[in-house]
């Protein structure tokens, strides 16, 4: 085998079980690729010692037989996940130096399954962003470029480090989190696959909270099968998260038959946006044809409140963030501002938060504070929650009409250049999540699958949205789309 | 609804984030950009609609009201910027 880092999880699993390769070899190959890829700024806390220890343990377990699918597989972990004894900062200066004394449920489950942690991955600060430009560690660079143009492109956000690392073959898969599109948008921008499961599928315990009613963890992987394998290990009921679902987790990989004959796929007319690039429209049309050729029945559907999803999101998510981020006060962990003579506790809070939070985080915390403040709570927050009810009902109605899954574009464009949006008002950046945010508001599973490239050679993805708790069916639909699309392009290595 | 500089300062105070007075006009402007976008919600007829509390229709689990951990003062304080004699230390709160 020439380059072990190019293996998919399923291939590596089979090779490990056959004894063709060891986890130690796979891990060393990834560690070496990571060290050569500092230009991407994806891995921000490398953990080679932990990785080597876990790889040795995984090799022993594989030798003993009966090792789970992820045993010995090297992964990257988004910085939002608390990992015991390892820096977990949510890419924020306010958590400088924070090393949790505990392990998040999702990473515990991955490690129990034998996965190897290569390090922590860059992201937008507190997962607030769509371009990975709000991180205290600096921007992540997309391994993809526009033809021969060497302008640095965004990998998307907030899980930009995860997307960049998987696309550049620095790890076999990575964890992501998705509050408004933070798994699916970066997956689409980097030509990889990412799934946000149904709200409640993955425990949120130990994941730094942004907007608790929207946050969900999920895998970012090289293909649908790998996403299914990783998701399997990440899901499950956790008594430590009261919103985690006590439902059995099916064998997602076993459900990948590629047979979608007779399935009904909804095409929502509201996702035809004015000013949408022709290439996105064409990609969507091709996707429809692929599913139809695979035997699915396409129906036009209407999700009438789509237009109001982003504005509702930009009330609800900041409101929850302002409450969740109140804990960063310079008392229990992280950064505390240097105080002047005579400063009291209020000055300590105000200076600590001013120094520790970046501009976008401050903006959202303050917007959240405003919409929750006396006199505005009903006009903004309660109204947004009512609109959320209507958005969810839109989906319930089409599912009741027999729709199995919904096909939409994943993003309104291909990856844009870093810095291109800095002059725009914040709302322009928020529009990146226009196709993904409805899914979080309705608590549904959604997956982004790469299906083509634009004229500059950049990857483009489509999104499939499934019924609640039916990730297995959704993954199978995505698998059929993936097979039909046959997307195999990889970024040319320049780093 | 337009946010003036005074309102921006009040929101910053409520959020316990220090904002220098020269930065308040830009802050007020970005609030207005975002709130202008949010105003669209007023077009929606929400008469008789329940505000969403939980996205999944399930009853939250109850746990036994019992002590399940504890005795880890060192771990609780391990990340504190200032901890003394087993406590978090902060500037004087009471005069």
């Amino acid at each position: 085998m020439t380059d072990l880092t190019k293996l998919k999880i399923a291939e590596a699993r089979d090779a490990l079980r056959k004894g063709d390769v060891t986890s130690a070899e796979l891990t060393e190959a990834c560690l070496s690729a990571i060290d050569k890829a500092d230009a991407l700024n994806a891995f921000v806390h490398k953990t080679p010692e932990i990785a080597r220890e876990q790889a040795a343990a995984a090799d022993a377990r594989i030798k003993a037989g009966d090792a789970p699918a992820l045993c010995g597989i090297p992964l990257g972990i988004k910085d939002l996940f608390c990992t015991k004894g390892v820096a977990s900062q949510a890419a924020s200066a306010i958590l400088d130096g924070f090393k949790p004394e505990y392990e998040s449920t999702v990473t515990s489950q991955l490690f129990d399954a034998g996965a190897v942690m290569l390090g922590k991955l860059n992201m937008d600060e507190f997962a607030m962003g769509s371009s990975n430009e709000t991180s205290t560690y600096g921007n992540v660079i997309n391994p993809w470029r526009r033809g021969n143009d060497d302008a640095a492109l965004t990998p998307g956000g907030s899980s930009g480090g995860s997307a960049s690392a998987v696309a550049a073959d620095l790890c076999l898969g990575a964890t992501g989190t998705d509050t408004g599109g933070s798994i699916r948008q970066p997956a689409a921008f980097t030509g990889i696959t990412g799934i946000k499961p149904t709200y409640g599928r993955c425990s949120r315990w130990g994941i730094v909270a942004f907007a608790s009613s929207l946050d969900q963890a999920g895998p970012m992987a090289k293909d649908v099968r790998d996403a299914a394998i990783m998701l399997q290990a990440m899901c499950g009921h956790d008594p430590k998260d009261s919103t985690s679902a006590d439902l059995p987790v099916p064998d997602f990989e076993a459900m990948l038959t590629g047979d979608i004959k007779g399935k009904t796929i909804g095409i929502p007319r509201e996702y035809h946006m004015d000013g949408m690039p022709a290439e996105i429209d064409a990609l969507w049309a091709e996707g429809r044809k692929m599913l139809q050729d695979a035997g699915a029945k396409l129906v036009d559907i209407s999700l009438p409140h789509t237009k109001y999803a982003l504005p509702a999101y930009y009330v609800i998510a900041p409101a929850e963030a302002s409450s969740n981020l109140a804990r960063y006060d310079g008392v229990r962990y992280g950064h505390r501002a240097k105080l002047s003579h005579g400063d009291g506790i209020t000055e300590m809070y105000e200076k600590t938060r001013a120094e520790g939070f970046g501009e976008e985080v401050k903006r959202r915390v303050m917007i959240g504070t405003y919409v929750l403040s006396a006199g505005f709570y009903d006009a903004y927050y309660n109204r947004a929650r009512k609109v959320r009810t209507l958005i969810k009902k839109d989906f319930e109605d089409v599912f009741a009409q027999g729709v199995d899954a919904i096909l939409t574009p994943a993003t309104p464009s291909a990856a844009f250049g870093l810095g291109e949006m800095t002059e725009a008002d914040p709302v322009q950046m928020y529009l990146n999540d226009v196709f993904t945010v409805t899914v979080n508001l309705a608590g549904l599973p959604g997956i982004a699958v790469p299906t083509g490239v634009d004229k500059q050679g950049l990857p483009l993805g489509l999104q499939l949205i499934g019924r609640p708790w039916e990730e297995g069916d959704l993954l199978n639909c995505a698998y059929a789309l993936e097979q039909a699309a046959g997307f195999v392009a990889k970024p040319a290595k320049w780093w | 609804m337009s946010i003036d500089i005074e309102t921006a300062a009040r929101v910053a105070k409520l959020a316990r984030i220090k904002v220098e007075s020269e930065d308040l006009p830009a802050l007020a402007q970005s609030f207005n950009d975002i709130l202008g976008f949010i105003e669209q919600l007023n077009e929606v007829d929400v008469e008789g609609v329940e505000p969403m509390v939980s996205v999944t229709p399930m009853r939250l689990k109850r746990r036994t009201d019992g002590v399940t951990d504890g005795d880890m003062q060192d771990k609780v304080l391990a990340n504190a910027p200032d901890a003394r004699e087993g406590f978090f230390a902060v500037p004087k709160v009471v005069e």
Side-chain angles (χ1 to χ4, degrees), chain A residues 33-71:
Chain A
I34 290 167
D35 277 335
K36 289 177 197 145
D38 287 343
L40 298 174
N41 202 24
F43 275 90
V44 287
H45 298 288
K46 302 174 188 175
T47 56
E49 280 150 33
I50 293 174
R52 287 182 181 119
E53 241 170 66
Q54 288 175 329
D59 280 329
R61 208 167 151 187
I62 293 163
K63 219 171 235 167
D66 198 34
L70 277 179
C71 194

Side-chain angles (χ1 to χ4, degrees), chain A residues 22-32 48 51-52 55 72-74 116 118:
Chain A
T22 64
S23 176
E25 289 163 348
L26 270 175
T27 301
E28 286 307 327
C30 289
L31 289 171
S32 146
R52 287 182 181 119
I73 304 293
V116 171
L118 297 163

